[in-house]
Structure formats: C-alpha cells, structure tokens
C-alpha cells in the first residue's frame, strides 16, 4: 500500500455511486492528476434499496478506471475518516456542483475535521457539462424512458438496460 508516510499524496473520493456518473468520473480524473493515488471508496449499506449492489458498483468502477494506474477502487463502511487513515491517506476529495451542494458538504467536511483534524477535505468543480448531473436524476430519467447517453459511462448504461430487461 502506498501511504502518506512514503511521501506520496493519497486521496480518498468517497460516495454511493449508485450509479457512477460522468460527473464522478470527471472529478476522479482531475483528482488523479493532483494526487499520486486516488481511491474511489464506495460506501456499503448506504441505501436500503440501491439500483446496483455494492458488488455491481465495484465492478463498474473497476472497469471504468482500469486504464488509470493511480486510481484504485474499494469499498468501506463505518466512519470515513477511519477508512482514510487506514489507507494512509490524508485528503478527502468531494465534488461541488452548485451552491445547493455546499451546505451538506460543509457539514460533512467540518464533522470529518472534528473527527480527525489531520484529514483535509478538498473540493473540486466538475466540467460545466456535468454540473447538473446526479445519480438520482440519472435513475429517474432512465426509469421514465429518457436518454442518459453521455451522462454516465457506457458500461453503466449497458448495465441499466440489462437490469430493465431482466425485470
Ligand atoms: O455520494 P454520497 O452519497 O453523497 O456520499 C456520502 C458519503 C459516503 C461521503 C457519506 O455518507 C459518508 O462519508 N459516510 C460514511 C459515514 C461517516 O463517516 N459519516 C460521518 C461523516 S459526516
């Protein structure tokens, strides 16, 4: 494991990723340029009835980031700051799309700082074309028959279609 103690900058990008969107991908690739290593950390047990199981989300993210050597994909449960420390990281990356994201993100960042003052939260803005994209809207639009092409990685769209067909 490459940790902060090796002098490497390791960041964790946590989330539910149900499903992974191109907005997430955009932030992760920006993070991969800033840090030596970025760990995409999927929260287990977040939503009682997710669209994709944790296993499916893990598989999707691993496929999408396979070409990117400094992007790792993992799952976590419990406190995020504990997971960050366990990974030898000291940075949490979060995306900020609009002012509406700010209040919740500020609460989380300050709570995480209180829990572990050594862990810093870094906010990054996605490319403009993804500022309105969210997992929730993607699921809603897809469920109602609208196009989500360009909003999610191809593999996500394929998996959604497969799920739709199977039931
Ligand atoms: O993609 P999401 O759902 O906005 O991600 C939220 C996430 C996973 C970052 C957040 O729920 C989280 O960190 N959960 C872990 C539990 C925890 O540490 N809670 C206290 C931090 S405020």
């Amino acid at each position: 494991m490459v940790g902060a103690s090796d002098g490497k900058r390791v960041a964790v990008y946590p989330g539910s990723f149900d499903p992974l969107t191109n907005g997430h991908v955009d932030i992760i690739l920006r993070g991969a340029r800033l840090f030596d290593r970025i760990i995409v950390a999927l929260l287990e047990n977040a939503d009682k009835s997710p669209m994709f199981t944790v296993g499916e989300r893990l598989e999707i993210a691993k496929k999408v980031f396979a070409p990117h050597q400094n992007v790792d994909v993992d799952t976590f449960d419990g406190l995020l700051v504990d997971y960050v420390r366990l990974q030898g990281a000291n940075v949490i990356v979060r995306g900020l799309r609009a002012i509406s994201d700010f209040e919740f993100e500020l609460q989380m960042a300050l709570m995480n700082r209180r829990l572990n003052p050594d862990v810093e939260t870094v906010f990054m803005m996605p490319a403009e074309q993804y500022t309105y994209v969210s997992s929730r809207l993607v699921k809603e639009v897809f469920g109602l028959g609208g196009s989500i092409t360009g909003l999610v990685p191809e593999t996500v769209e394929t998996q959604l279609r497969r799920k739709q067909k199977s039931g």
Side-chain angles (χ1 to χ4, degrees):
M1 185 183 73
V2 180
S5 53
D6 317 276
K8 302 273 187 192
R9 287 266 166 211
V10 183
V12 171
Y13 180 65
S16 311
F17 308 113
D18 185 40
L20 185 74
T21 69
N22 282 343
H24 295 132
V25 174
D26 180 275
I27 296 286
I28 293 160
L29 297 183
R30 285 172 200 280
R33 290 201 293 268
L34 274 185
F35 299 98
D36 295 308
R37 178 172 171 238
I38 182 162
I39 305 165
V40 180
L42 283 114
L43 177 65
E44 293 175 30
N45 308 324
D47 189 341
K48 293 273 182 286
S49 51
M51 172 77 78
F52 290 104
T53 65
V54 173
E56 288 169 332
R57 281 178 268 160
L58 193 67
E59 199 181 307
I60 287 169
K62 280 191 169 163
K63 193 170 174 184
V64 170
F65 297 108
H68 302 277
Q69 296 222 327
N70 67 336
V71 180
D72 288 334
V73 181
D74 194 11
T75 61
F76 79 103
D77 57 12
L79 281 179
L80 174 60
V81 287
D82 291 344
Y83 174 79
V84 169
R85 203 179 43 189
L86 205 73
Q87 292 300 316
N90 57 1
V91 173
I92 295 167
V93 169
R94 292 286 288 174
L96 265 189
R97 290 164 300 189
I99 292 174
S100 50
D101 283 341
F102 183 76
E103 197 172 336
F104 177 56
E105 293 299 334
L106 176 74
Q107 284 178 356
M108 279 207 301
L110 294 181
M111 181 61 82
N112 284 327
R113 180 180 287 166
R114 182 178 185 276
L115 293 168
N116 187 339
D118 295 331
V119 174
E120 204 60 59
T121 300
V122 170
F123 293 106
M124 300 180 72
M125 319 300 164
E128 277 166 50
Q129 73 259 36
Y130 303 128
T131 47
Y132 62 92
V133 179
S134 69
S135 299
R136 187 183 62 78
L137 273 187
V138 161
K139 282 185 280 195
E140 184 173 318
V141 169
F142 182 82
L144 296 171
S147 169
I148 54 161
T149 302
L151 302 182
V152 294
E154 258 179 54
T155 180
V156 169
E157 206 173 335
T158 309
Q159 296 279 345
L160 280 168
R161 291 233 172 78
R162 200 169 289 161
K163 273 190 185 288
Q164 198 175 42
K165 271 195 198 133
S166 68

